[in-house]
């Protein structure tokens, strides 16, 4: 009002000021959007530690394969990529790449790359690959916000977005450089779930369609889609059991299942498995059950007579169960429905893998989870989760039932395998966010009403309530206020500890590329070991282009991607026998191993050795797995031969077989001459803290070709056979 | 010259010996078969007399092998009895697989026996058994019963029928064939259960339609959910898969029990459960305070409970964080801006 009397200048300024002054709702919107924007940025930058500390590079093992295929895709185009037969890996078998991978990640990265090129940003494909994971993590926070909004309210959505942005359980798989399927898969997973929940809530075909496409993206990106195709039917089944069947559910599930299935079958790696393998049968069963429910509903509507309907019901249910049972029996017996795969089976019967499949049990991320790992990855979310569960049960709806089921099933699976903590993370964040949001909301509203009471006196709010409760409310006011403040402080303290924990964990534990190793020197300075890349570049520069390199399967992808040489086995573990052959060669005596290597045309052998640097995940520490996997196919290899009283040793007390097997010789060749630590004898292995047992190693059929500066990678050349006259 | 005379002599001797063998030993085999048929699983209970009758007093190329399980009822050990029943499975499977009309000669080559220390300790001394469980194969040529070559090796004895089967098949050239474990439920049990289900099905369906089942009870789901959560985060799956004990005895002091294991990737049973309990206590207290406590009328009660809840939560969180730091060896620090230093 005062603006009218002011000068034109002031009027202008006050006008703009006035227009800036927002209504409460707009203010709230602005706040929400800016919080979300900040969370979006936070999720991205929290994942850049590794780039800042090292450089922009691809991490670990599997991402190198993804990088190599993406490179191929951007260079040769999609058609070539889809039909690519790769002769550089799994020599002499080769690998049909297009039919044995989930192309979602590569196509996504290539699309981003092409878009950027189109916009005239000429970036290298590697940069796109490195930053794909953080970018999708940021997108996940947005989905988490909408999901939280759907199951609870906007507050819970915001908290969920903030929690998931820095949750170590998710960061562990999505730092810059970890260019792996999970990077986009978690986004796709959460998106599918969100769209499905939305579809169930609204009963709209368009949301269901959206969720089907989300599912398609998930299938194209990661084998973990099996979790979706089992959780969603399970959820539908629970809704049916608890009497929550509705037309909305019918529309949502049928559309999602049928379309999702048809789309998923377009991925060659999945193909007809989607209607044949046992893992997908639950979804189909629930689909049929839905039809039965719908049919019964329709008949009930037509019949009007309850007695008639009861009889009808009995007949249909019995015959339906009978037909289903027979169909399942016939399908399994005739082999049309294939039994469950080992990986999936090991989730349901956790002891299965340990006893039957060493190749699955050997991978460290397939180990069962101890409580400290949960604590490490979730921190205070673990305390908040039960409270969130309780809140969900107090306000039960189709959406909260879903999130509870998602949380509990995924946590069970996370308990079986460490890597599945990743799948559980969104659910844990969402449920914990409900707890935080509901608590904070309750407490602050308590604080606010206290402030308002003296002002409004006994007008509307308090006057309408009963007089008796009014008295108690008035009496408890001062205390409740204090209590609420104390609780709020407690909650914020916990949340700040969470932020500190997450930052620290991200920086210290999850941001090492594992291709470049870092250690602290004696003076606290950081020492970088770049031996892997040194070795791979040596291979690229100094060996014939058609050379075949034998190594343990962990390094296969890296050798093909960075060294550009053919490998015998790699991280795609589809052929157990081939891996076992390499395991057998590594655990045999040199002359036996030589025959195996000759039969595989091996030119170079590469081993990873940590005895000089104290790097503990080297081939000697992995050696027992080579023996186990080798022994699983070739019974001549027996684990007890390499152990002394059940103990794995490399010092003088080691078993003679151990001291003379190929792996031992290649790792410790010339090591007996070396002093690694002051005050220790020569040949002191720092990774295992012992003096080695065989210092005088002679090689007959192999010769040392290259050893990196810190001895981490050692490459040997296989000598051609001597002339036979 | 002497050679010439002794050779026919020896020949004659061995012929007569063989004829004795041929004459007397089918009887022993028959006796064993009849003993076997009197036992349900086919495991023959040997005592001191029968040991000498079937083993020690028979000349060495015996026409049969015996595989003996050394048992002790006095020990009252559950694993041992379970192992014995596994042993009995193998025996029953062997007989069932080989006792067809054309293969009964195979079935009569090997007999499963059991010697109990509590009643027949003499035989135990004869075999020189020092510890249990032990399984010994007495092959046709074995003379010195104390000989360790017939024993199943200590690391192979793991209490399963499969290990026994493997032992037998590696030492004799007999095949046991597929193990025929008795089904979990006998046929009568299955038919009773099926009958029960069919009878109750109409009632159940009615209940489902009316929404009166246990699944419609909110509480059941609630408690179930908390339980599932508790078992998941306390690392129960880890305990099951790795077969971890609840606690171990200290190496130095055997009276002291160790409940907590230092090292990030491993845990003992009890520590997981105690930490899982702490998680749940804090979470459920939070839920209780914000949902149930506000309805309590008595103000002082409210205050006391709330204070208690806050103190308990604080202690629980501190304890868990302390334990985690101790277990993993990590020390979480804050990153301050470098200008603040």
């Amino acid at each position: 009002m005062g603006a009218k009397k002011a000068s034109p200048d002031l009027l202008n300024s006050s006008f703009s000021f006035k227009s800036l002054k927002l209504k409460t709702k707009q203010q709230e919107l602005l706040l929400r959007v800016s919080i979300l924007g900040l969370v979006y940025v936070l999720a991205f930058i929290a994942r850049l530690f590794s780039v800042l500390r090292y450089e922009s590079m691809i991490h670990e093992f599997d991402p190198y394969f993804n990088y190599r295929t993406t490179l191929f895709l951007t260079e040769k185009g999609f058609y070539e990529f889809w039909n690519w037969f790769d002769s550089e890996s799994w020599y002499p078998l080769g690998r049909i790449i297009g039919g044995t991978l989930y192309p979602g990640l590569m196509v996504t990265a290539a699309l981003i790359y092409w878009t950027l090129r189109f916009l005239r940003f000429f970036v290298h494909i590697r940069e796109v690959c490195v930053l794909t994971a953080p970018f999708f993590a940021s997108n996940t926070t947005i989905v988490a916000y909408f999901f939280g909004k759907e199951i609870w309210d906007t507050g819970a959505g915001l908290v969920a977005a903030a929690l998931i942005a820095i949750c170590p359980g998710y960061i562990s798989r999505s730092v810059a450089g970890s260019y792996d399927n999970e990077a986009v898969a978690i986004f796709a997973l959460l998106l599918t779930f969100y769209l499905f929940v939305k579809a169930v809530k609204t009963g709209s075909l368009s949301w269901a369609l959206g969720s089907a496409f989300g599912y398609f993206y998930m299938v194209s990106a990661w084998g973990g889609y099996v979790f979706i195709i089992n959780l969603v039917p399970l959820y539908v089944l629970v809704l049916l059991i608890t009497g929550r069947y509705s037309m909305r559910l019918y529309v949502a599930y049928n559309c999602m299942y049928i379309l999702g299935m048809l789309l998923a079958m377009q991925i060659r790696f999945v193909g007809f498995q989607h209607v044949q393998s046992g893992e997908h049968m639950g979804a189909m069963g629930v689909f049929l059950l839905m039809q039965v429910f719908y049919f019964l509903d329709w008949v009930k509507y037509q019949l009007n007579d309850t007695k008639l309907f009861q009889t009808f019901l009995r007949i249909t249910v019995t015959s339906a169960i009978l037909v289903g049972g027979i169909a399942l029996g016939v399908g399994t017996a005739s082999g049309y429905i294939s039994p469950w795969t080992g990986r999936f089976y090991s989730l349901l019967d956790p002891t299965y893998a340990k006893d039957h499949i060493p190749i699955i049990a050997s991978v460290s991320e397939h180990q069962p989870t101890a409580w400290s790992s949960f604590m490490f990855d979730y921190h205070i979310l673990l305390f908040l989760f039960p409270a969130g569960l309780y809140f969900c049960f107090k306000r039960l709806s189709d959406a909260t039932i879903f999130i509870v089921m998602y949380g509990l099933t995924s946590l069970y699976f996370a308990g079986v395998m460490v890597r599945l903590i990743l799948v559980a993370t969104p659910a844990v964040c969402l449920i914990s966010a409900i707890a935080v949001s509901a608590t904070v909301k309750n407490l602050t509203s308590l604080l606010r009403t206290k402030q308002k009471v003296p002002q409004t006196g006994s007008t509307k709010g308090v006057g309408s309530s009963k007089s008796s409760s009014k008295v108690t409310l008035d009496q408890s006011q001062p205390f409740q206020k204090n209590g609420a403040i104390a609780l709020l402080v407690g909650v914020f303290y916990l949340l700040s500890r969470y932020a500190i924990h997450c930052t620290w964990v991200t920086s210290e534990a999850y941001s090492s590329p594992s291709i470049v190793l870092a250690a602290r020197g004696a003076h606290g300075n950081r020492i970088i070991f770049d031996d892997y890349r040194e070795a791979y570049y040596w291979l690229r520069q100094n060996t014939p282009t058609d050379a075949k390199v034998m190594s343990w399967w962990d390094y296969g992808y890296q050798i093909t991607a960075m060294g550009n040489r053919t490998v015998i086995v790699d991280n795609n573990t589809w052929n157990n026998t081939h891996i076992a052959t390499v395991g057998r060669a590594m655990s045999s005596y040199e002359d036996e191993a030589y025959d195996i290597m000759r039969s595989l045309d091996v030119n170079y052998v590469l081993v990873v050795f940590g005895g000089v640097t104290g790097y503990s995940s080297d081939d000697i520490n992995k050696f027992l797995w080579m023996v186990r996997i080798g022994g699983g196919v070739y019974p001549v290899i027996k684990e007890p031969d390499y152990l002394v009283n059940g103990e794995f040793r490399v010092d003088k007390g080691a078993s003679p077989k151990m001291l003379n097997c190929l792996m031992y010789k290649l790792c410790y060749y010339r090591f007996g001459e070396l002093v690694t630590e002051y005050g220790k004898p020569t040949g002191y292995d720092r990774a295992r803290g012992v003096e080695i047992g065989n210092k005088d190693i002679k090689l007959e059929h192999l010769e040392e070709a290259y050893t990196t500066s810190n001895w981490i990678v050692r490459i040997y050349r296989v000598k051609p056979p001597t002339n036979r006259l | 010259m002497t050679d010439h005379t002794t050779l026919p002599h020896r020949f004659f001797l061995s012929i007569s010996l063989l004829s004795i063998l041929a004459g007397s030993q089918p009887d022993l085999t028959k006796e064993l078969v009849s003993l076997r048929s009197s036992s349900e699983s086919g495991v023959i209970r040997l005592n001191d007399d029968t040991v000498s009758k079937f083993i020690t007093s028979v000349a060495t190329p015996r026409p049969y092998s015996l595989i003996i399980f050394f048992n002790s009822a006095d020990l009252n050990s559950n694993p041992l009895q379970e192992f014995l029943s596994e042993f009995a499975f193998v025996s029953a499977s062997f007989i069932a697989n080989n006792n067809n009309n054309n293969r009964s000669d195979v079935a009569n080559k090997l007999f499963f026996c059991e010697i109990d220390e509590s009643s027949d300790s003499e035989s135990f001394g004869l075999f020189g058994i020092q510890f249990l469980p032990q399984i010994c194969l007495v092959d046709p040529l074995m003379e010195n019963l104390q000989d360790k070559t017939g024993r199943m090796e200590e690391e192979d004895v793991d209490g399963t029928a499969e290990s026994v089967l493997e032992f037998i098949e590696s030492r004799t050239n007999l095949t046991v064939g597929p193990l025929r474990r008795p089904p979990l439920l006998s046929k009568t049990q299955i038919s009773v259960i099926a009958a029960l289900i069919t009878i109750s099905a109409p009632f159940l369906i009615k209940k489902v339609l009316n929404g009166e089942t246990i699944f419609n009870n909110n509480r059941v789901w609630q408690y179930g959910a908390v339980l599932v959560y508790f078992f998941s985060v306390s690392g129960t799956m880890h305990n099951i898969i790795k077969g971890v004990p609840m606690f171990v005895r200290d190496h130095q002091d055997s009276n002291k029990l160790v409940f907590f294991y230092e090292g990030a990737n491993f845990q003992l049973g009890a520590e997981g459960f105690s930490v899982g309990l702490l998680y749940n206590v804090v979470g459920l207290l939070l839920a209780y305070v914000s949902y149930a406590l506000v309805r309590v009328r008595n103000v002082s009660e409210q205050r006391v409970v709330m204070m208690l809840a806050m103190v308990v939560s604080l202690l629980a969180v501190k304890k868990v964080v302390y334990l985690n730091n101790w277990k993993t060896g990590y020390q979480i620090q804050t990153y301050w801006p470098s200008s603040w230093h």
Side-chain angles (χ1 to χ4, degrees):
Chain A
M1 286 287 130
K4 276 184 181 172
K5 290 170 192 170
S7 64
D9 274 295
L10 267 174
L11 188 133
N12 260 350
S13 67
S14 64
F15 174 74
S16 61
F17 175 73
K18 203 176 164 189
S19 68
L20 268 178
K21 196 165 181 192
L22 303 164
K23 288 176 196 154
T24 324
K25 257 206 164 155
Q26 289 171 317
Q27 273 181 353
E28 203 243 332
L29 182 74
L30 180 68
L31 266 178
R32 220 187 315 153
V33 170
S34 44
I35 290 175
L36 260 186
L38 286 174
V39 167
Y40 192 87
V41 175
L42 173 71
F44 193 85
I45 57 174
R47 286 161 170 80
L48 297 183
F49 272 110
S50 61
V51 174
L52 296 177
R53 193 159 296 156
Y54 302 93
E55 60 182 75
S56 170
M57 65 173 134
I58 309 281
H59 294 187
E60 308 253 342
F61 304 108
D62 285 20
Y64 272 95
F65 168 76
N66 301 331
Y67 172 59
R68 181 164 157 252
T69 45
T70 314
L71 202 64
F72 189 89
L73 173 62
T74 51
E75 279 169 4
K76 304 261 172 75
F78 187 75
Y79 187 78
E80 285 285 309
F81 169 73
W82 203 231
N83 295 311
W84 182 17
F85 178 80
D86 177 21
S87 54
E88 281 192 9
S89 55
W90 287 95
Y91 183 85
L93 308 169
R95 177 181 172 190
I96 305 157
I97 297 281
T100 58
L101 55 42
Y102 293 102
L105 178 75
M106 298 91 194
V107 172
T108 308
L111 281 179
I112 295 174
Y113 174 70
W114 285 324
T115 315
L116 287 174
R117 302 282 282 197
F118 178 74
L119 297 173
R120 297 297 179 270
F121 290 106
F122 285 93
V123 290
H124 192 272
I125 181 68
R126 197 189 60 237
E127 314 297 337
V128 176
C129 293
V130 165
L131 295 179
T132 299
F135 174 62
F136 271 89
S138 293
N139 296 340
T140 309
T141 62
I142 302 295
V143 180
Y145 163 73
F146 282 109
F147 206 161
K149 192 178 158 195
E150 202 54 48
I151 53 176
W152 203 256
D153 56 11
T154 49
L158 282 180
V159 178
L163 290 181
I164 204 171
I166 54 170
C167 185
Y170 185 25
I171 285 188
S172 65
R173 295 265 155 184
S174 62
V175 290
S178 69
Y179 179 58
D180 211 346
N181 291 334
E182 290 95 324
V184 296
I186 291 304
F187 166 76
L189 178 96
L190 205 58
L191 185 71
T192 312
F193 283 156
Y194 163 65
L195 292 172
F196 184 71
V197 165
K198 191 92 186 167
V200 171
K201 198 170 186 177
T202 56
S204 115
L205 261 180
S206 56
W207 288 113
L209 191 69
S211 104
F213 275 100
Y215 177 65
F216 172 57
Y217 187 50
M218 177 71 188
V219 176
S220 75
W222 194 35
Y225 77 88
V226 176
F227 179 63
I228 298 185
I229 203 60
N230 282 291
L231 178 65
V232 168
L234 190 68
Y235 164 65
V236 172
L237 193 68
V238 166
L239 287 189
L240 293 183
I241 289 174
T242 50
R244 283 172 168 268
Y245 169 78
S246 64
M247 202 58 205
R248 293 175 284 117
L249 186 67
Y250 183 81
V251 170
Y253 183 70
N254 286 337
C255 174
M256 190 263 178
Y257 177 66
I258 293 295
L259 258 174
M261 177 179 73
L262 289 177
L263 287 170
M265 286 167 75
Q266 309 310 310
I267 305 295
R268 265 164 65 193
F269 197 26
V270 177
F272 276 91
Q273 264 186 52
H274 207 288
V275 285
Q276 287 185 352
S277 87
E279 296 154 21
H280 303 83
M281 281 301 125
M284 192 180 272
V286 169
F287 172 71
L288 296 177
L289 196 66
M290 281 296 257
Q291 312 313 316
V292 172
F293 259 78
Y294 182 78
F295 181 65
L296 287 181
D297 239 28
W298 179 74
V299 170
K300 197 176 183 181
Y301 173 73
Q302 296 283 320
L303 276 179
N304 283 330
D305 183 3
T306 34
K307 209 169 181 188
L308 215 63
F309 176 67
Q310 292 285 339
T311 350
F312 173 76
L313 187 71
R314 226 162 286 159
I315 296 167
T316 29
V317 168
T318 333
S319 50
I321 292 173
L322 222 76
V323 168
I326 290 170
L328 195 70
V330 168
T332 320
S334 63
Y336 187 70
I337 300 170
S338 57
W340 291 341
T341 56
R343 248 174 244 240
F344 189 73
Y345 200 71
S346 70
L347 285 178
L348 294 179
D349 174 15
T351 47
Y352 179 80
K354 193 182 109 191
D355 300 337
H356 297 91
I357 327 169
I359 206 136
I360 292 183
S362 75
V363 181
S364 67
E365 59 188 21
H366 292 164
Q367 297 302 311
T369 319
W371 70 266
S372 53
S373 308
F374 277 117
M375 187 68 193
F376 197 66
D377 279 351
Y378 292 141
H379 202 236
I380 62 147
L381 301 186
L382 288 171
F383 295 109
L384 296 170
F385 191 89
L389 271 186
Y390 189 81
F391 289 137
C392 284
F393 274 107
K394 282 290 156 196
R395 210 170 95 181
L396 219 50
S397 67
D398 290 352
T400 48
I401 290 179
F402 181 82
I403 196 68
V404 167
M405 286 191 59
Y406 172 27
L408 292 178
T409 45
S410 57
L411 268 177
Y412 163 75
F413 291 135
V416 179
M417 267 192 208
V418 171
R419 72 188 297 207
L420 292 180
I421 280 187
L422 175 75
V423 176
T425 303
V428 173
C429 286
L430 278 164
I431 292 180
S432 307
I434 290 172
V436 173
S437 167
T439 311
V440 171
K441 207 171 181 180
N442 284 351
L443 294 175
T444 44
S445 66
L446 216 66
L447 284 182
R448 269 197 213 153
T449 47
K450 292 316 116 48
Q451 285 159 0
K452 277 180 190 167
V453 168
Q455 290 169 7
T456 50
S458 58
T459 47
K460 286 184 212 165
V462 188
S464 61
S465 60
K466 286 175 194 168
S467 56
S468 59
S469 68
K470 184 186 161 191
V471 175
T472 51
L473 198 78
D474 285 340
Q475 277 179 349
S476 61
Q477 267 174 16
F479 162 72
Q480 276 195 346
K481 197 173 172 183
N482 292 342
I485 290 174
L487 266 181
L488 266 183
V489 169
V491 168
F492 281 115
Y493 176 72
L494 276 184
L495 288 175
S496 64
R497 292 309 302 183
Y498 175 70
I500 291 169
H501 175 88
C502 293
T503 326
W504 188 86
V505 166
T506 310
S507 146
E508 298 293 318
Y510 287 143
S511 290
S512 53
S514 94
I515 185 119
V516 174
L517 309 165
R520 294 268 178 207
H523 307 290
N525 53 325
R526 195 180 286 272
I527 307 171
I528 302 274
F529 300 128
D530 204 356
D531 288 38
Y532 279 109
R533 291 196 290 179
E534 184 186 339
Y536 299 144
Y537 293 147
W538 184 89
L539 274 178
R540 184 189 279 261
Q541 305 290 343
N542 297 289
T543 59
T545 45
D546 61 344
K548 280 102 195 159
V549 183
M550 183 173 89
S551 72
W552 190 233
W553 56 275
D554 294 10
Y555 316 106
Y557 279 163
Q558 292 179 346
I559 295 171
T560 38
M562 280 189 280
N564 201 15
R565 290 294 173 269
T566 306
V567 294
I568 308 296
V569 290
D570 66 26
N571 309 47
N572 180 284
T573 51
W574 62 275
N575 189 326
N576 196 7
T577 315
H578 216 48
I579 293 182
T581 310
V582 174
R584 183 185 175 186
M586 293 297 192
S587 38
S588 304
Y589 293 126
E590 193 185 344
D591 41 353
E592 294 160 13
Y594 184 67
D595 293 338
I596 299 172
M597 291 190 290
R598 290 295 308 163
S599 71
L600 289 172
D601 291 347
V602 173
N603 305 108
Y604 290 89
V605 183
L606 181 147
V607 294
V608 171
F609 173 59
V612 178
T613 49
Y615 171 54
S616 62
S617 44
D618 65 349
D619 278 348
I620 293 286
N621 281 353
K622 290 173 185 169
F623 182 64
L624 275 189
W625 286 110
M626 302 181 202
V627 174
R628 276 174 209 151
I629 292 170
V633 177
Y634 303 103
V636 283
I637 307 290
K638 293 191 188 69
E639 192 178 333
D641 290 350
Y642 300 87
L643 302 175
V644 179
N645 295 329
E647 204 183 345
F648 180 62
R649 299 172 67 163
V650 296
D651 58 358
K652 280 206 180 66
S655 71
K657 180 110 198 199
M658 178 71 210
L659 291 176
N660 289 297
C661 69
L662 184 70
M663 178 53 77
Y664 191 94
K665 279 183 149 183
L666 296 188
C667 281
Y668 291 118
Y669 181 63
R670 290 199 302 113
F671 186 65
E673 309 156 10
L674 194 73
V675 177
T676 52
E677 215 168 297
Y678 178 73
K680 291 283 187 323
T682 57
Y684 179 77
D685 184 334
R686 294 179 67 192
R688 284 150 287 271
V690 290
E691 184 186 347
I692 61 166
N694 183 358
K695 289 189 188 177
D696 183 33
I697 293 171
K698 298 263 189 303
L699 289 172
E700 195 183 336
H701 303 292
L702 293 105
E703 59 188 0
E704 187 177 3
Y706 187 69
T707 294
T708 56
S709 46
N710 296 301
W711 287 52
I712 289 179
V713 184
R714 310 195 69 182
I715 301 171
Y716 292 84
R717 197 170 74 84
V718 180
K719 287 185 201 165
T722 45
N723 281 336
R724 274 168 288 184
L725 294 170
Chain B
M1 281 304 275
T2 44
D3 274 344
H4 274 278
T5 49
T6 49
L7 200 68
H9 182 68
R10 268 191 189 172
F11 185 70
F12 171 75
L13 238 177
S14 55
I15 287 282
S16 59
L17 230 161
L18 265 177
S19 60
I20 292 166
L21 283 177
S24 69
Q25 276 157 11
D27 299 340
L28 282 177
T29 311
K30 262 183 198 160
E31 218 168 306
L32 278 169
V33 169
S34 77
L35 273 176
R36 178 167 72 182
S37 56
S38 65
S39 134
E40 198 186 333
S41 61
V43 176
I44 302 163
R45 175 74 178 268
L46 293 180
N47 54 32
D48 293 344
D49 300 335
T50 43
V51 164
S52 81
K53 183 174 175 190
F54 290 120
I55 303 172
T56 41
S57 56
V58 184
T60 34
R62 282 180 290 263
Y64 46 77
S65 303
L66 298 175
I67 178 157
I68 304 171
F69 184 94
F70 293 92
N71 188 20
S72 171
D74 282 354
L75 260 184
N76 217 355
S77 141
N78 257 343
L80 194 65
Q81 296 318 314
E82 276 166 23
F83 192 17
L84 180 61
S85 62
E86 291 278 303
F87 182 75
F89 285 153
V90 185
S91 161
S93 312
F94 175 73
I95 297 162
N97 290 332
N98 292 314
N99 217 0
N100 303 330
N101 30 10
N102 53 346
R103 301 196 62 188
S104 59
D105 57 321
V106 178
N108 295 347
K109 286 248 172 66
L110 179 69
F111 294 91
F112 288 74
C113 311
E114 175 208 349
I115 300 178
D116 200 302
E117 188 260 337
S118 36
S119 54
D120 306 287
S121 50
E122 211 172 286
S123 312
F124 259 60
L126 207 62
F127 281 91
I129 299 296
Q130 302 289 340
F131 57 89
L132 293 175
Q134 273 208 65
I135 288 179
C136 177
L137 179 79
V138 181
D139 58 17
L141 295 170
M142 188 172 186
E143 279 185 359
N144 179 11
L145 293 183
Q146 309 239 348
D147 190 3
K148 290 279 192 310
T149 50
R151 304 285 161 80
M152 196 164 158
E153 276 172 42
E154 217 178 309
E155 60 249 33
D156 294 339
V157 179
D158 59 358
T160 59
E162 283 77 9
S163 64
V164 179
L165 188 148
E166 204 173 293
F167 171 69
I168 293 170
E169 293 192 341
S170 68
R171 293 298 175 87
T172 64
N173 43 15
L174 303 170
T175 48
V176 177
L179 275 183
R180 300 187 183 185
R181 283 178 186 279
L184 226 55
L185 298 167
S186 71
K187 273 182 186 164
T188 43
Q189 278 168 320
I190 289 176
S191 54
V192 166
I193 288 170
L196 276 178
I197 288 174
T198 27
I199 292 167
S200 57
F203 299 100
L204 284 179
I205 290 171
K206 198 178 168 194
K207 279 206 159 185
V208 168
L209 288 178
N210 295 342
E212 287 168 2
T213 53
I214 189 171
F215 299 114
N216 294 73
N217 189 344
N218 204 337
R219 293 251 155 147
V220 174
W221 290 96
Q222 206 167 322
Y223 294 135
V226 172
L227 265 183
V228 169
Y229 176 71
F230 171 69
F231 283 118
S232 300
V233 292
S234 55
T236 312
M237 298 319 294
H238 172 274
N239 301 346
I240 293 174
I241 294 171
K242 295 205 167 166
V244 177
M246 291 304 270
F247 51 82
V248 289
R249 290 194 183 280
D250 200 331
H251 280 305
Q252 278 103 36
D253 181 4
S254 61
N255 290 325
K256 237 169 86 182
L257 298 178
V258 178
F259 288 96
F260 284 85
Y261 178 87
E262 195 170 352
N265 293 320
F266 189 78
Q267 68 172 31
L268 295 172
E271 75 175 284
F273 288 124
S274 55
V275 173
L277 198 68
L278 290 180
Y279 295 149
N280 277 291
V281 163
V282 177
L284 293 178
L285 271 180
L286 183 62
Y288 173 73
V289 164
S290 45
Y291 257 102
L293 193 63
V294 285
R295 301 219 186 103
V296 175
R297 287 284 165 83
N298 188 341
V299 178
S300 53
E301 196 183 318
Q302 253 186 357
R303 283 182 194 175
V304 171
V305 172
M306 190 157 166
M307 287 306 289
L308 260 179
M310 281 161 77
V311 170
V312 168
S313 310
L314 185 75
L315 288 179
V317 173
K318 277 198 100 142
K319 191 77 199 162
V320 172
V321 169
Y322 162 76
L323 278 175
N324 188 49
N325 286 347
W326 170 78
K327 189 174 176 65
T328 55
Y330 282 119
Q331 212 61 51
I332 314 289
Q333 307 145 4
T334 324
Y335 290 108
W336 299 111
S338 45
S339 59
W340 290 13
H341 283 295

